[in-house]
Amino acid sequence: MKRILGAGLFYILISACSVHHNPKENPQVYLQNPGRETKKWKLVWEENFNSPKLDTTKWTRIPAGGADWNRHMSLDDACFGWEKGELILKGINNTDRQKNDKPFLTGGIWSKGKFAFQYGRIEIRAKLGSAQGSWPAMWMLAELDKYGQYPRNGEIDIMEHLNFDDIIYQTTHSHYTLNLGQKDNPKHSGTAKVNAGAYNVYGISWYPDRIVFQLNGVDTFTYPRISGVDASQWPYDQPFYLLIDQQLGGSWVGKVDPKQLPVEMRVDWVKVYQ
């Protein structure tokens, strides 16, 4: 997944003990104070999708782009639904090629510019659909562009699921892993067994020195900050925003079988703790 972010500046006064965010320069950013990771988690932000429309104070529909992951992204209402307090993100066949020349349309949301956090725990309860070429994902990118163009700010893939797999992929990407090829020092990716068609809670616990990936509250893979290597190994010292999207097709997941569409991801809730 690739996304080039705009530049930004970030200043904050560090105060003691409490969870807080910067109310002036970047009111959408929640920072965790030093030492807070040793204390009990406190809920600081949540989304329960109880409204029959997208809360635009928290989310924006992801527009189309030129990468595999966003090639078929669409703002079309046909790619989004709400039912019983759940957001439904869909991958569908495009029935109007005059309006949009892409063969498939997909729905996704991001919190870019509206909510980001640095350190803490995020959990997302969702049920995934399966189809040939289906690629639902929950992931994070840097909000304020501290280190430069992608992949220098890093990427955190909370969960990616391919086709009919019985595993999910949980991964970090950065200049260190992609451009310098350092994927095993330390290991940058893990997998976890999953029943994708059931409701699961996907998440990470993110600390100043490690990112712990989780499935249903169980630790599955840890990416640590290590010493003695290029500094680009750890760009994860800045706020990240959230993306949740039902992707289709690409060099990794393979070709889409249009006869197996529509496919959908149902998102029940999102919770962030610090």
Side-chain angles (χ1 to χ4, degrees):
M1 300 177 182
K2 295 186 178 180
R3 181 77 188 175
I4 297 174
L5 306 180
L9 296 176
F10 182 69
Y11 303 95
I12 191 160
L13 298 175
I14 299 298
S15 60
C17 298
S18 64
V19 174
H20 70 281
H21 67 280
N22 181 359
K24 293 183 179 179
E25 291 88 355
N26 298 102
Q28 81 279 16
V29 171
Y30 285 69
L31 293 190
Q32 180 172 277
N33 286 327
R36 188 68 178 82
E37 64 271 12
T38 64
K39 299 177 171 39
K40 186 177 179 179
W41 295 117
K42 176 182 177 182
L43 183 68
V44 296
W45 189 91
E46 67 179 320
E47 171 63 275
N48 293 298
F49 300 109
N50 288 328
S51 172
K53 61 181 181 179
L54 194 66
D55 184 346
T56 55
T57 68
K58 295 179 177 179
W59 307 100
T60 304
R61 298 185 187 193
I62 301 175
D68 274 359
W69 76 269
N70 62 6
R71 194 178 315 279
H72 300 109
M73 283 292 148
S74 172
L75 309 182
D76 196 306
D77 287 342
C79 298
F80 301 85
W82 286 265
E83 184 178 283
K84 298 178 181 178
E86 295 179 338
L87 169 67
I88 306 170
L89 301 174
K90 304 176 184 180
I92 63 175
N93 288 304
N94 183 9
T95 58
D96 188 354
R97 299 289 289 274
Q98 301 264 337
K99 182 179 176 182
N100 185 324
D101 64 357
K102 299 293 174 60
F104 314 109
L105 302 177
T106 59
I109 59 172
W110 62 18
S111 67
K112 182 181 179 182
K114 298 180 177 180
F115 169 73
F117 70 104
Q118 178 179 326
Y119 310 140
R121 180 177 184 136
I122 183 168
E123 294 185 319
I124 305 166
R125 186 176 189 265
K127 180 169 71 170
L128 312 179
S130 294
Q132 175 57 46
S134 178
W135 179 16
M138 305 167 185
W139 52 302
M140 297 167 62
L141 289 173
E143 174 80 3
L144 301 174
D145 195 16
K146 183 176 182 179
Y147 295 112
Q149 293 187 348
Y150 185 94
R152 289 189 174 273
N153 285 301
E155 172 183 329
I156 303 170
D157 294 335
I158 300 168
M159 181 288 301
E160 297 178 276
H161 181 255
L162 305 182
N163 302 313
F164 295 90
D165 285 358
D166 62 356
I167 59 171
I168 55 168
Y169 297 85
Q170 299 175 304
T171 311
T172 61
H173 294 299
S174 64
H175 173 74
Y176 183 77
T177 65
L178 293 175
N179 296 340
L180 301 184
Q182 297 293 324
K183 298 183 177 182
D184 294 306
N185 182 33
K187 185 175 172 61
H188 82 119
S189 181
T191 62
K193 283 277 190 180
V194 69
N195 177 1
Y199 284 93
N200 294 282
V201 177
Y202 304 94
I204 62 167
S205 292
W206 175 19
Y207 304 92
D209 64 348
R210 67 196 186 279
I211 301 170
V212 182
F213 293 82
Q214 288 147 341
L215 176 63
N216 295 320
V218 177
D219 295 353
T220 53
F221 167 69
T222 297
Y223 185 73
R225 182 176 190 171
I226 62 174
S227 59
V229 298
D230 191 90
S232 64
Q233 187 265 330
W234 191 259
Y236 309 109
D237 57 352
Q238 59 179 315
F240 276 60
Y241 66 89
L242 178 65
L243 305 92
I244 307 175
D245 43 40
Q246 171 58 62
Q247 305 164 177
L248 285 177
S251 57
W252 187 32
V253 66
K255 292 183 177 180
V256 181
D257 183 350
K259 294 192 284 297
Q260 296 182 20
L261 301 181
V263 64
E264 62 185 35
M265 169 168 49
R266 290 177 168 257
V267 187
D268 187 11
W269 48 253
V270 181
K271 297 181 181 180
V272 178
Y273 306 83
Q274 288 184 323

